[in-house]
Amino acid sequence: MTITSMYKKILVAVDVSSEAHQVMQQARGLAKCFDATLQLIHVIEPVALNSPYELTPDLPIEMQHVQVERAKAFLAKLAMDFDLPDIRQEVRLGSTKRNILETAETEKIDVIVMGTHGRHGIGLLLGSTATSVLHGTPCDVYTVRIK
Ligand code: AMP
């Protein structure tokens, strides 16, 4: 295998924050180097609205719908901002780690690109999402140092 054929399919995991642009910038650079395809994923984790003691773990369906539509619009704009309007974009509901890893597996992804940190602060070397993806990844993971 030559170095340029190492990565053919790149999965870019983004949260819906301004850091997503830094992640995408690097991912696009990698895609150019390796002549690879890019695809975007964002995962929405259901959160409890009520007391943790009540058995209502999911957002009401209408709110979920609004969140999904907002996330889809965010991904579409991100792709447009990088002149890549046709790349595959996916919004999934559930565990962020599980959905990223499942997608990597089923789509036969060669490398996942994600930020070292996103919305969860820069207190640690790696944020919780990157750390959790590293535990169980079926492929390489490229972490983008968020400035
Ligand atoms: P965090 O560990 O949450 O600070 O996030 C680190 C990186 O994980 C972010 O820069 C994104 O690349 C990715 N990420 C975080 N949250 C999500 C999410 N909900 N969906 C997809 N990727 C995410």
Side-chain angles (χ1 to χ4, degrees):
M1 187 199 288
T2 60
I3 192 84
T4 48
S5 64
M6 222 163 76
Y7 296 141
K8 284 290 143 215
K9 292 185 86 178
I10 300 176
L11 178 66
V12 192
V14 289
D15 56 17
V16 288
S17 75
S18 55
E19 278 84 16
H21 281 77
Q22 293 181 52
V23 175
M24 190 60 178
Q25 179 89 32
Q26 293 280 332
R28 187 178 59 174
L30 277 180
K32 278 188 179 157
C33 281
F34 290 98
D35 195 22
T37 59
L38 287 175
Q39 64 187 75
L40 282 170
I41 185 169
H42 173 70
V43 185
I44 297 170
E45 298 221 7
V47 286
L49 280 184
N50 300 328
S51 143
Y53 303 106
E54 291 177 32
L55 295 173
T56 50
D58 295 328
L59 280 176
I61 206 80
E62 319 81 64
M63 284 185 69
Q64 259 183 24
H65 184 69
V66 170
Q67 267 197 311
V68 169
E69 289 310 307
R70 280 196 188 143
K72 282 183 177 170
F74 183 90
L75 294 189
K77 177 158 185 334
L78 185 63
M80 280 294 285
D81 288 348
F82 285 87
D83 273 335
L84 297 164
D86 299 327
I87 59 171
R88 183 157 165 198
Q89 301 154 33
E90 199 175 2
V91 174
R92 295 178 65 155
L93 289 169
S95 147
T96 303
K97 171 190 175 176
R98 205 184 60 238
N99 278 285
I100 292 173
L101 293 180
E102 268 177 21
T103 303
E105 185 114 37
T106 55
E107 295 291 321
K108 299 194 172 21
I109 293 294
D110 298 305
V111 59
I112 300 165
V113 178
M114 62 194 304
T116 48
H117 302 92
R119 293 167 306 134
H120 297 117
I122 53 168
L124 299 165
L125 186 61
L126 276 181
S128 53
T129 310
T131 304
S132 66
V133 166
L134 279 170
H135 289 282
T137 180
C139 61
D140 290 354
V141 179
Y142 180 105
T143 52
V144 178
R145 195 172 141 80
I146 301 296
K147 296 179 187 99

